[in-house]
Amino acid sequence: MAQSQRQCFSFPIIFLLIFLSSYTGQSRPPFACDPNNALSKTFPFCSVSLHIRDRVKDLLGRLTLQEKIRLLVNNAAPVERLGIKGYEWWSEALHGVARSPGVHFGGEFPGATSFPQVITTAASFNASLWEQIGRVVSDEARAMYNGGAAGLSFWSPNVNIFRDPRWGRGQETPGEDPIVASRYATSYVRGLQSPVGNSLKVAACCKHYTAYDLDQWNDVDRFHFNARVNKQDLEDTYNVPFKACVVEGRVASVMCSYNQVNGKPTCADPSLLRGTIRGQWRLDGYIVSDCDSVDTFFNQQHFTPTPEDAVAATIRAGLDLDCGPFLAIFTERAIRAGKLSVALVDAALTNTLHVQMRLGMFDGARQPYLNLGPKDVCTPAHKQLALEAAHQGIVLLQNRARSLPLSTHLHHTVAVIGPNSDATETMIGNYAGIPCGYISPLQGIGRYARTIHQAGCNGVACISNHQFGAAEAAARQADATVLVMGLDQSIEAEAKDRLSLLLPGLQQELVSRVARASRGPVILVLMCGSPVDVTFAKNDPRIAAILWAGYPGQAGGAAIADIIFGTTNPGAKLPMTWYPQDYVVKVPMTDMGMRPDPSRGYPGRTYRFYKGPVVFPFGFGLSYTAFKVALAHAPTTVPVTLASNYAFKNMTLLKDAVRVSHSNCDAMKLGMHFDVQNVGERDGSHSLLVFSTPPAGKWAPAKQLVAFEKVHVLAGAQQRISVHFDACKHLSVVDRFGIRRIPMGVHSLQIGDLEHAITLQV
């Protein structure tokens, strides 16, 4: 075919119909400005013909101080005299509408589509898929709001960097790479918010800002942890996805985290909040605390001497909304004591009310998206997208002698073994809702072959080998054996980091014993949200294939089976490095440094800086077919031009690098064209990853991802794909002072085995 066939989904342009049509079921009455309320419909803040700025100003002028204070917290109180109902700000939608204070399952909404956990979806390296999932989730969210079962402010996504493989919440993130996390953030936020002009479908929130990636490790917890982060790592790693979320994704909210950064609670740091999020990045929305963060930095971190000082510190820093009761209790006392002005309270409320008005919550009966209702939740199309997302997120890590896919003609009986072999709830990970339904691995494989099932262990802790004999017997009877092992939320979760990268308990023994007993090929499926050291399995010739399924969502079992039997060709790649166990023995989780420090034996973190041994590297993933990539067109020289207000003689040059802030970035957009040829016998999808190695220098990572695209290519066919990036964002490095610079000289691009050099020069 002449044009590139990227894996994407079309979005029907139906915005006008959405705004004009109505859901005819039992929808909730208007949040405010009810036309049936003779009093409220005359208020100027109810007039949609006025600018939102003027509407917010009018509303603020009508509120008493006590009413204002009760709006500063997540469970905002009603203002009955103005016809405004109470509102719960806290709803979750990490990978589907999820259980949370603002979400209520039951009645017309017994469940919602549960997509794969984020770390699994990130492995697809498919930005159009991420946005489409966001759009589906927002459809279901709006439908539930219309039915009185959810709010419109969803505190998702989690875009923290998966810095340490032990982190219990790494599963919620898009992985370890800042560019992947940034693109995931902007794509998912765009899908969730689905903006039409200044209006929002739902309000997303990027969390947890910033340098938050430790929950409970040994005797250190997130409520007391002081993340010591240098300016270089903050600028080129930890803050990157948050900046993209605000600047490119136009997110409606950012959540500050529990931890301190360099001795200050993030929710009380004016440099991080008012200075960076709102000042430099120009957030058009509100800043919310992680739940009880203000209470935490007062009562546990003892950052301020009094609760009134805590209120003053956080609101002055730029916080607009407190998840928790702290501001409702102590704000008036802080004002009376002269520690805080009413003007700052008004400024905070201006930001939250502005978002509510963008959502249409003050538009009375003229609500947008009233056509959405129960019929739009758990639809066949949504459930199919959940299956497709799982297909695209499962990574083939090993395939000896092309043992996979299995054949329904040769493998009539399959032993399905392991603590996750019949998993249901485990497949959806954390921050999940009630799914539309489950298909477990056992059920999925049962669609292709007769199954013999043995759990082998009572749960993933696997503390006893009493059932191992029955598992070995099952493997001896079957034509093939599938072991579904790994972790669950009892091992890795919020408030629970891991201490080891090995499989828990006696799982390794179970795998090895079953592999020795099996008469047919053995496939090891790992269901987990973080890396596991399975070197033993990688080196065991009796284990034919290894799949990482992550937490694959409600249809995960069907997706696993489809890949094992070849109905679907795997095309995902790892979004994080899989380290050996001895890495975590040497590296404390509390060390936030990204770059290696040989003087103290510190190896660095993530593929960008760590160069030691790995079990599987970032970006690794196999396919049942083979691809050949050729460069069709790319520049060899890129002139670095200066912004008009910087003359050459005044330009800041340091070791042959130009400050990004002094450059004309719009003139340095790059385009490359690749021909991707499928040289195998099966149709397949290929994730094209473009890495760059900058000119040698102590600031720079050894290599960094600069761009990626997904392309589907038929067997024997070829597709041309375009990749776009810009020198300022993707070819720059950050010096030790936190200043982003563009190194002059030769930048080496690597695309698999293909290399291409681009010279940047002034």
Side-chain angles (χ1 to χ4, degrees):
M1 297 176 67
Q3 295 182 350
S4 168
Q5 290 188 351
R6 299 184 191 181
Q7 283 190 307
C8 59
F9 305 86
S10 61
F11 311 142
I13 307 301
I14 57 171
F15 293 127
L16 288 177
L17 292 176
I18 287 174
F19 273 76
L20 295 175
S21 56
S22 298
Y23 159 45
T24 57
Q26 292 187 357
S27 60
R28 69 163 78 203
F31 165 77
C33 305
D34 190 335
N36 296 318
N37 184 327
L39 176 65
S40 66
K41 67 181 181 181
T42 64
F43 294 138
F45 66 78
C46 293
S47 175
V48 296
S49 63
L50 294 179
H51 193 283
I52 286 180
R53 177 184 62 249
D54 298 323
R55 296 171 69 189
V56 170
K57 183 178 179 180
D58 176 75
L59 176 54
L60 279 175
R62 297 175 185 276
L63 295 171
T64 67
L65 177 60
Q66 290 72 28
E67 288 168 340
K68 291 176 181 179
I69 289 170
R70 291 194 290 267
L71 298 180
L72 291 172
V73 292
N74 63 289
N75 56 339
V79 185
E80 295 178 355
R81 67 182 185 85
L82 298 181
I84 300 171
K85 294 181 171 59
Y87 180 66
E88 176 56 71
W89 285 86
W90 182 3
S91 293
E92 300 282 357
L94 184 68
H95 51 105
V97 179
R99 293 183 180 95
S100 44
V103 174
H104 308 283
F105 290 105
E108 291 186 302
F109 302 98
T113 309
S114 189
F115 291 93
Q117 182 59 288
V118 175
I119 194 69
T120 310
T121 307
S124 70
F125 283 86
N126 186 348
S128 62
L129 172 67
W130 303 336
E131 183 169 339
Q132 177 65 346
I133 291 173
R135 288 181 182 272
V136 166
V137 173
S138 70
D139 274 351
E140 299 197 351
R142 263 288 178 175
M144 293 180 71
Y145 174 79
N146 290 342
L152 288 176
S153 47
F154 287 85
W155 292 346
S156 306
N158 180 341
V159 298
N160 292 116
I161 297 297
F162 196 172
R163 171 188 63 96
D164 190 290
R166 292 163 287 195
W167 188 28
R169 302 187 73 177
Q171 61 183 290
E172 302 173 28
T173 77
E176 72 181 39
D177 181 77
I179 296 300
V180 175
S182 296
R183 196 161 174 200
Y184 179 88
T186 56
S187 299
Y188 190 64
V189 166
R190 284 170 183 156
L192 270 183
Q193 297 193 158
S194 298
V196 181
N198 194 41
S199 298
L200 300 173
K201 193 173 181 183
V202 302
C205 173
C206 287
K207 61 185 185 184
H208 313 79
Y209 178 80
T210 184
Y212 169 75
D213 49 19
L214 180 151
D215 270 61
Q216 178 72 57
W217 179 75
N218 288 329
D219 60 348
V220 182
D221 67 51
R222 57 183 174 169
F223 305 116
H224 299 87
F225 180 51
N226 178 21
R228 299 188 181 278
V229 185
N230 62 52
K231 293 179 179 179
Q232 188 175 35
D233 289 340
L234 196 65
E235 173 64 25
D236 83 348
T237 299
Y238 296 112
N239 280 0
V240 173
F242 291 98
K243 181 178 181 180
C245 209
V246 175
V247 176
E248 299 171 39
R250 308 298 298 167
V251 74
S253 176
V254 174
M255 176 183 286
C256 52
S257 53
Y258 290 115
N259 57 289
Q260 295 186 353
V261 172
N262 300 326
K264 284 187 178 181
T266 64
C267 292
D269 189 333
S271 176
L272 289 177
L273 304 190
R274 199 173 297 279
T276 302
I277 297 178
R278 199 168 296 284
Q280 295 178 27
W281 301 343
R282 300 294 182 189
L283 172 70
D284 183 13
Y286 67 96
I287 298 173
V288 61
S289 71
D290 204 341
C291 295
D292 291 320
S293 287
V294 183
D295 182 274
T296 295
F297 78 67
F298 171 67
N299 279 310
Q300 299 193 48
Q301 298 174 11
H302 308 296
F303 183 69
T304 62
T306 70
E308 293 80 17
D309 289 309
V311 169
T314 194
I315 293 180
R316 284 176 178 168
L319 190 77
D320 302 309
L321 184 70
D322 178 20
C323 179
F326 200 91
L327 293 191
I329 298 170
F330 297 109
T331 298
E332 186 170 1
R333 284 164 47 177
I335 293 171
R336 303 292 183 209
K339 298 176 184 292
L340 180 69
S341 68
V342 176
L344 284 175
V345 172
D346 287 350
L349 291 178
T350 296
N351 294 323
T352 54
L353 293 172
H354 183 84
V355 169
Q356 287 184 309
M357 289 192 180
R358 292 176 66 195
L359 289 164
M361 294 174 67
F362 285 85
D363 292 354
R366 298 180 60 182
Q367 290 287 302
Y369 305 102
L370 282 176
N371 62 306
L372 297 173
K375 64 180 175 51
D376 300 293
V377 181
C378 288
T379 68
H382 293 181
K383 290 187 279 190
Q384 180 61 35
L385 184 62
L387 174 62
E388 176 63 20
H391 284 156
Q392 292 195 36
I394 295 173
V395 183
L396 178 62
L397 295 173
Q398 184 165 281
N399 194 17
R400 296 182 193 275
R402 301 179 71 179
S403 299
L404 287 181
L406 299 182
S407 167
T408 55
H409 301 295
L410 300 176
H411 304 103
H412 303 286
T413 303
V414 177
V416 185
I417 296 169
N420 282 333
S421 57
D422 198 22
T424 52
E425 189 172 349
T426 295
M427 296 193 301
I428 61 177
N430 68 350
Y431 278 82
I434 298 176
C436 312
Y438 291 109
I439 302 174
S440 73
L442 178 63
Q443 292 170 323
I445 293 168
R447 296 176 172 182
Y448 289 93
R450 186 174 73 86
T451 58
I452 307 172
H453 180 232
Q454 288 291 331
C457 303
N458 288 326
V460 296
C462 201
I463 59 176
S464 169
N465 62 6
H466 291 166
Q467 300 179 52
F468 287 11
E472 291 171 296
R476 291 189 190 101
Q477 301 172 50
D479 300 318
T481 297
V482 177
L483 283 150
V484 191
M485 314 299 287
L487 313 175
D488 64 13
Q489 300 306 301
S490 71
I491 303 293
E492 56 175 353
E494 183 171 9
K496 184 175 292 185
D497 299 324
R498 297 162 64 198
L499 297 176
S500 168
L501 298 186
L502 301 176
L503 286 170
L506 301 176
Q507 282 196 43
Q508 179 172 326
E509 180 187 343
L510 175 61
V511 171
S512 296
R513 284 177 56 172
V514 167
R516 285 195 297 268
S518 180
R519 77 178 192 197
V522 176
I523 294 91
L524 174 61
V525 178
L526 298 168
M527 191 177 292
C528 51
S530 55
V532 177
D533 183 351
V534 288
T535 302
F536 80 96
K538 184 180 175 183
N539 295 335
D540 188 340
R542 292 162 297 196
I543 296 176
I546 303 174
L547 287 167
W548 175 65
Y551 292 124
Q554 65 180 42
I560 290 168
D562 289 345
I563 286 175
I564 287 174
F565 281 91
T567 303
T568 297
N569 188 353
K573 296 183 183 295
L574 291 177
M576 72 294 206
T577 301
W578 284 38
Y579 301 87
Q581 169 65 14
D582 64 358
Y583 175 85
V584 299
V585 172
K586 296 181 293 186
V587 178
M589 198 171 173
T590 50
D591 195 320
M592 301 295 291
M594 297 301 299
R595 289 160 171 79
D597 184 353
S599 67
R600 56 189 181 93
Y602 184 68
R605 296 183 179 276
T606 78
Y607 81 93
R608 295 163 64 223
F609 302 106
Y610 170 72
K611 298 307 161 193
V614 300
V615 180
F616 295 106
F618 172 89
F620 180 77
L622 304 174
S623 172
Y624 296 153
T625 190
F627 297 95
K628 182 179 179 181
V629 179
L631 181 63
H633 173 74
T636 56
T637 302
V638 176
V640 175
T641 59
L642 302 178
S644 58
N645 55 327
Y646 285 99
F648 181 84
K649 63 181 180 179
N650 294 324
M651 177 183 66
T652 300
L653 275 171
L654 182 61
K655 292 188 180 299
D656 299 318
V658 179
R659 283 194 186 212
V660 166
S661 60
H662 294 181
S663 305
N664 181 7
C665 294
D666 291 338
M668 291 184 284
K669 309 291 185 184
L670 307 179
M672 303 179 71
H673 302 273
F674 299 93
D675 290 328
V676 181
Q677 184 179 5
N678 185 338
V679 296
E681 300 174 351
R682 290 175 176 266
D683 300 348
S685 298
H686 180 64
S687 296
L688 186 80
L689 308 185
V690 181
F691 294 92
S692 172
T693 299
K698 63 182 178 181
W699 308 328
K703 71 173 183 178
Q704 58 189 8
L705 187 70
V706 296
F708 59 90
E709 292 293 342
K710 192 85 164 186
V711 60
H712 186 77
V713 190
L714 303 179
Q718 177 176 295
Q719 297 294 336
R720 178 161 291 185
I721 187 169
S722 300
V723 175
H724 300 279
F725 55 97
D726 69 71
C728 287
K729 181 178 178 182
H730 299 111
L731 298 184
S732 59
V733 298
V734 177
D735 69 19
R736 63 190 181 91
F737 302 105
I739 298 172
R740 190 168 287 276
R741 301 177 183 274
I742 306 170
M744 299 298 99
V746 177
H747 293 247
S748 176
L749 303 184
Q750 302 100 41
I751 309 94
D753 296 329
L754 180 67
E755 291 193 9
H756 176 72
I758 295 179
T759 300
L760 270 60
Q761 59 188 27
V762 176

